Structures are given as C-alpha cells and as structure tokens.
Amino acid sequence: MNWILLTPELILLLAAALFLIIACLKPDPRRDYQLAVTMAAFTVAAAIACATMSGDLFNHVYRVDLFSQVFKALLAIGFFLVVVLCDDFQGVAPSHHGEAYFLLAVCTLSMMMLASAVHLLAIVLALELSSYSLYILVFMRREHRWGMISGLRYFLVGASASAIMLFGLALIYGVTGAVHIDILVQRLPAMMGQPVVVTGLLLTLAGFFFKLAVFPFHFWAPEAYQGAPNQVAAFIAAVSKVAAVAILLRMIAMAQGNSDLLARGLIAMAVISMTVGNLAAIAQRDFKRLMAFSSVAHAGYLLLGMLCMTPAGYAAAMFYGAAVLIMKYTCFMVMIRVADDGRNLQIDELAGLHRRSPLLALALMMALFSLAGIPPTVGFVGKLMIFVAAMQKGYLVLVLIAMANVVVSLYYYLLVLKAAYLDEPAQSLPAINLTIPARLVAVAMIVLIVGIGFYPTPLLDLVQAAVLRLP
C-alpha cells in the first residue's frame, strides 16, 4: 500500500498522539500552542503537496483523488487558521488546552477521512468520530453552565440525526445489497423511482444535513455556537461545513441526476433553510447566534447547487463551500479579537470598531459584504455560480426565492456594519492591539475575499476538475 497518499492524515494522527501525551504532562499553554501551530502548518504543506496524488486504499474503502484532496487541503488550511486564533485561548481552561488541540486534530483527521471514504460503514465511522469530538469541545467551555447546556443539546440532536441516518442506510442496503459507493452508483440510478430508495437516501443524508445545519436539523446550531468556546465555534462554523459539503456531494451524486423525488425533497429543505435562517437572524443580538442562523441560510444556498445534480451545480457548491470557509472564518476572527477575554460578543459591542481597529473593521466589512453576495467578493461569485447552475436546470422560481433571501440577509448584515462604523460606544474603549501574525491573517483574509472575487478562475478551474472525479 502506498502510505504516501495518507501523509496529511498521518501527520494529524501524529499530532493527536503528541497532544494525548502532552495532556498527561504539566499544563503549558504557550508550549501547546506552538506545537499545535507547527503541526497544523505541516498538515497544510502535506495536503497541498499530495493534492495531485490518487489511488484506492484498504480494499477500495478509501479513495484518494483530486476531489478528496482539494477538500483535505481546505480542511487543513481551516485547521491551521483556527489554531492560529488560539494564541489567547481564553474560552478553555489552561489545564485543558492540550485536550482541546487533541480533539481539534482528531476532528480534522476524521473529516479528511470522510472526504475520502467510499464505503458506507467507513463514512458512518468518520462522521461519528468528528461529531463526538465537536460535542466534547463544546462541553469544554470555561463557563461550565454555557458549555454543559449547549453541548447536551448538540449531542441529543446529533444522536437523533445519526439514528435517522443509520435507518436510511439500512433501507439502501436492504434494497441494493451494496455498501461500496462504486457499486451503489451502478445500482441506485435504476432504482430511484422507488419511494423506499429515495426515502433511504434522504434519511441517510440526514446525518450530513445535521453537520451542515440544514432545516430541520439546524436546531443545535444557535445553542452550540453560543455555548462553545469562540475558537471552537469558528471551527464548527467554517471548517466542519467543508467536510459536510464533501460527503453530501459524493452521496447526492450517486443518484446520477435520475431522481425527481430526491430533487423535490432537497428543494423543500433548501427553500425552508434559506428562509428560516435569514428571518431568524434578523432578531439576533448575540453575534454568534446571528452567525449560526446565517449558516442555516447558507446551507440552503449550498443545497440549491447540489440539487441541480449536474457538474455545474456540484462545482458551484464546492466553490461556495470554500467561500464559506473564508467568509465565516473572517467574521469569527474579528469577534475573537474584539472579545479577547473569551466572552460572547453582542452586536452593540462592535460600536466604534472602525476607530479601535480599522483593519478588523475592514475585514468584517469585506466578510459581511461577501456573505451578502455583494460584488466584487468571493461570496458574490459563489452565489452567481449557484444561480446560473440552477437556471440552467430550469429552477427559475427557486432562484427568485434565493435572491429574495439574499435581499433579506442584507438587512442584518448591514446592522452589524452599522454598529462597527456608525454607532458610538457608551464609553471610551481602548484600541485593539493586534500582533503581527494576527495582522497578517486579517490582511490575507481581505485579499482572499476580494482577490478571488476579482479573479476566481484558478479556484473555479480546480473545483471543476475535482467534480469530474465524482461518481
């Protein structure tokens, strides 16, 4: 077996082992942080270096191809960026920093496995390993009451989604007698007219809808975001969504575009997710809760690309998944720097941000403009690709509904910008001093948001080539 194909996963496995050992030693937050940044950087380098490699491992249970490798690179980059934010890990007790890095590494590893798994049991194991890591991370909130309540609700909804998913897998296996995706791709398209097969596939997708926070599996998101440590909330909002997009694309592609029943089910979920997410976000005053409902809305946009069941739709969803990683991370980066004591940030606490830190205010403005789909940003390009793919499929009404939801989202995004640029704080607040690495990350996010918006061709070509590897 060619172990070089597993280089990113092996580095993360080594990182998890090191943090498991460190967790048994005397706590040293600075040592833990430096080791985490180093291992995360090595993971990014390995993921990029292995991007063009391909092959099947473990008796065709694990597939390494351009599709999985692109997602692994995005996951590695997201892991690195979140670890960079942990330089002042106030939300977790110093004695538990080692365990937190261990769980972040394990979760990233399992999400990489999820991107490459092409066997139903391997998919289930990878999904559950990543989910349980996140449950525990939410529980680790320093304010015990917040973490306990949110973590418990997150776990209960997740366990319910897993049970529904397993029932769906049982239906699919009972009808097809297959567990390998390669075999399912050959047998499922001819059976997509059977309600039991469509029901099984929709129930199977429930576990992945949960991770993407699609209606009606979104109830955990506001509580988990609000109750989790800020860095963990950033990881859930930005990084875990990438893995959800990867496995949803692989599972939906099994239908080969041959199921109107499946498309109608996805249409209903997409419309309700967009509408519920945007309307609920309007009433939020806690920044993390607003980002949670925003994620629900963006899950609807992602589903709009996927339900087209065409290469253009898959490429649009993949592109938008990468865009969500950049946009959500930038928003949470600003929040973490402003609420540097680990507290939950209220929107009105952003008042005067443009004077306290012009760079953070600019980063927040670019990220919110991108989330709202204002050109020239990466979010605008992603939404445009999704809408074009849907129009090509004949979903004009669906595109109009999505555009109406974009207009609604502008309202609450502009409320946040109003607080940052126009509102005056109740009392004089000191300037926010950013370290050089923090400044570099903020500048890099601004450049990515605007740069890809102006010139999306390299990323677009990459995702279009990657989706050709789908079944």
Side-chain angles (χ1 to χ4, degrees), residues 27 37 59 89 92-93 97 100 125 181-182 212 231 237 257 331 343 354 363 368 435 453 465:
V37 170
N59 196 24
F89 208 170
V92 176
H97 283 193
L125 290 174
I181 285 183
D182 288 344
L212 194 59
Q231 289 83 352
C331 291
R343 71 184 185 279
H354 67 288
L368 293 176
T435 62

Short mmCIF file of all heavy atoms in Angstrom, two decimals, residues 27 37 59 89 92-93 97 100 125 181-182 212 231 237 257 331 343 354 363 368 435 453 465:
data_model
loop_
_atom_site.label_atom_id
_atom_site.label_comp_id
_atom_site.label_asym_id
_atom_site.label_seq_id
_atom_site.Cartn_x
_atom_site.Cartn_y
_atom_site.Cartn_z
N PRO A 27 0.52 21.39 32.52
CA PRO A 27 -0.01 22.32 31.51
C PRO A 27 0.97 23.45 31.20
O PRO A 27 1.60 24.02 32.08
CB PRO A 27 -1.28 22.87 32.16
CG PRO A 27 -1.67 21.86 33.19
CD PRO A 27 -0.37 21.29 33.70
N VAL A 37 0.45 24.96 16.26
CA VAL A 37 0.69 25.73 15.03
C VAL A 37 1.67 25.00 14.12
O VAL A 37 1.48 24.93 12.89
CB VAL A 37 1.22 27.14 15.38
CG1 VAL A 37 1.70 27.86 14.12
CG2 VAL A 37 0.13 27.97 16.05
N ASN A 59 -8.57 -1.95 0.28
CA ASN A 59 -9.52 -2.76 -0.49
C ASN A 59 -10.69 -1.91 -1.00
O ASN A 59 -11.86 -2.28 -0.89
CB ASN A 59 -10.05 -3.93 0.35
CG ASN A 59 -10.72 -4.99 -0.49
OD1 ASN A 59 -10.43 -5.11 -1.68
ND2 ASN A 59 -11.63 -5.74 0.11
N PHE A 89 -6.28 31.56 24.10
CA PHE A 89 -7.38 30.58 24.17
C PHE A 89 -8.13 30.75 25.49
O PHE A 89 -8.12 29.89 26.36
CB PHE A 89 -6.79 29.17 24.06
CG PHE A 89 -7.73 28.15 23.46
CD1 PHE A 89 -7.27 26.90 23.12
CD2 PHE A 89 -9.06 28.44 23.24
CE1 PHE A 89 -8.12 25.95 22.57
CE2 PHE A 89 -9.92 27.51 22.69
CZ PHE A 89 -9.44 26.26 22.35
N VAL A 92 -11.23 28.27 27.05
CA VAL A 92 -10.95 26.95 27.63
C VAL A 92 -9.92 27.12 28.74
O VAL A 92 -8.96 27.89 28.60
CB VAL A 92 -10.42 25.98 26.55
CG1 VAL A 92 -10.03 24.64 27.16
CG2 VAL A 92 -11.46 25.78 25.46
N ALA A 93 -10.10 26.42 29.83
CA ALA A 93 -9.16 26.50 30.96
C ALA A 93 -7.76 26.10 30.50
O ALA A 93 -7.60 25.16 29.71
CB ALA A 93 -9.62 25.58 32.08
N HIS A 97 -5.95 22.91 27.53
CA HIS A 97 -5.58 23.29 26.17
C HIS A 97 -5.07 22.09 25.37
O HIS A 97 -5.38 21.95 24.17
CB HIS A 97 -4.52 24.39 26.19
CG HIS A 97 -5.08 25.73 26.52
ND1 HIS A 97 -4.38 26.91 26.35
CD2 HIS A 97 -6.30 26.10 27.01
CE1 HIS A 97 -5.14 27.93 26.74
NE2 HIS A 97 -6.29 27.46 27.15
N ALA A 100 -7.95 20.11 24.14
CA ALA A 100 -8.68 20.81 23.08
C ALA A 100 -7.96 20.66 21.73
O ALA A 100 -8.61 20.38 20.71
CB ALA A 100 -8.82 22.29 23.43
N LEU A 125 -18.44 5.81 10.43
CA LEU A 125 -17.41 5.89 11.48
C LEU A 125 -16.72 7.25 11.47
O LEU A 125 -16.50 7.85 12.53
CB LEU A 125 -16.40 4.76 11.31
CG LEU A 125 -16.90 3.35 11.60
CD1 LEU A 125 -15.83 2.32 11.24
CD2 LEU A 125 -17.28 3.21 13.08
N ILE A 181 -19.66 2.62 -2.60
CA ILE A 181 -20.27 3.65 -3.42
C ILE A 181 -20.16 3.31 -4.90
O ILE A 181 -21.08 3.59 -5.68
CB ILE A 181 -19.64 5.03 -3.10
CG1 ILE A 181 -20.18 5.54 -1.76
CG2 ILE A 181 -19.94 6.04 -4.20
CD1 ILE A 181 -19.70 6.90 -1.35
N ASP A 182 -19.05 2.69 -5.31
CA ASP A 182 -18.89 2.32 -6.72
C ASP A 182 -20.02 1.39 -7.17
O ASP A 182 -20.53 1.52 -8.29
CB ASP A 182 -17.54 1.64 -6.93
CG ASP A 182 -16.39 2.61 -6.86
OD1 ASP A 182 -16.64 3.83 -6.94
OD2 ASP A 182 -15.23 2.17 -6.72
N LEU A 212 -24.25 20.18 8.30
CA LEU A 212 -24.34 21.40 7.50
C LEU A 212 -25.35 22.39 8.09
O LEU A 212 -25.43 23.53 7.65
CB LEU A 212 -24.73 21.05 6.06
CG LEU A 212 -24.56 22.12 4.98
CD1 LEU A 212 -23.10 22.58 4.89
CD2 LEU A 212 -25.03 21.60 3.64
N GLN A 231 -13.20 29.95 19.68
CA GLN A 231 -12.41 29.29 18.64
C GLN A 231 -13.08 28.02 18.15
O GLN A 231 -13.00 27.68 16.96
CB GLN A 231 -11.00 28.97 19.16
CG GLN A 231 -10.11 30.18 19.35
CD GLN A 231 -10.32 30.89 20.68
OE1 GLN A 231 -11.25 30.57 21.42
NE2 GLN A 231 -9.47 31.84 21.01
N ALA A 237 -18.32 26.55 12.53
CA ALA A 237 -18.96 27.38 11.50
C ALA A 237 -18.23 27.34 10.18
O ALA A 237 -18.88 27.36 9.11
CB ALA A 237 -19.04 28.83 11.99
N GLY A 257 -28.43 12.12 -11.07
CA GLY A 257 -29.42 13.02 -11.62
C GLY A 257 -30.70 12.36 -12.08
O GLY A 257 -31.45 12.93 -12.87
N CYS A 331 -15.26 36.46 9.89
CA CYS A 331 -16.18 37.02 10.88
C CYS A 331 -15.81 36.59 12.29
O CYS A 331 -15.79 37.42 13.22
CB CYS A 331 -17.61 36.59 10.56
SG CYS A 331 -18.29 37.33 9.06
N ARG A 343 -15.48 36.04 26.04
CA ARG A 343 -16.92 36.19 26.28
C ARG A 343 -17.69 36.11 24.95
O ARG A 343 -17.10 36.19 23.87
CB ARG A 343 -17.20 37.54 26.93
CG ARG A 343 -17.01 38.73 26.01
CD ARG A 343 -17.20 40.05 26.72
NE ARG A 343 -17.14 41.19 25.81
CZ ARG A 343 -16.02 41.74 25.36
NH1 ARG A 343 -14.86 41.25 25.74
NH2 ARG A 343 -16.06 42.78 24.53
N HIS A 354 -14.31 50.76 14.04
CA HIS A 354 -13.50 51.35 12.97
C HIS A 354 -12.41 52.25 13.53
O HIS A 354 -11.40 52.49 12.86
CB HIS A 354 -14.38 52.14 12.01
CG HIS A 354 -14.99 53.36 12.61
ND1 HIS A 354 -16.01 53.31 13.55
CD2 HIS A 354 -14.74 54.68 12.41
CE1 HIS A 354 -16.35 54.53 13.90
NE2 HIS A 354 -15.60 55.39 13.24
N ALA A 363 -11.90 44.08 7.64
CA ALA A 363 -12.06 42.64 7.42
C ALA A 363 -13.51 42.21 7.64
O ALA A 363 -14.07 41.42 6.88
CB ALA A 363 -11.13 41.87 8.35
N LEU A 368 -18.75 40.43 5.58
CA LEU A 368 -20.21 40.57 5.56
C LEU A 368 -20.72 40.92 4.17
O LEU A 368 -21.78 40.41 3.75
CB LEU A 368 -20.64 41.64 6.57
CG LEU A 368 -20.41 41.28 8.05
CD1 LEU A 368 -20.78 42.45 8.94
CD2 LEU A 368 -21.20 40.04 8.45
N THR A 435 -1.24 41.49 17.17
CA THR A 435 0.13 41.02 16.94
C THR A 435 0.39 40.98 15.43
O THR A 435 -0.55 41.05 14.62
CB THR A 435 0.32 39.62 17.54
OG1 THR A 435 -0.57 38.70 16.89
CG2 THR A 435 0.04 39.62 19.03
N GLY A 453 -12.79 37.24 -5.69
CA GLY A 453 -13.93 37.88 -6.32
C GLY A 453 -13.56 38.51 -7.66
O GLY A 453 -14.34 38.44 -8.63
N ALA A 465 -12.44 20.63 -12.19
CA ALA A 465 -11.69 19.40 -12.42
C ALA A 465 -11.96 18.38 -11.32
O ALA A 465 -12.01 17.17 -11.58
CB ALA A 465 -10.19 19.72 -12.49
#
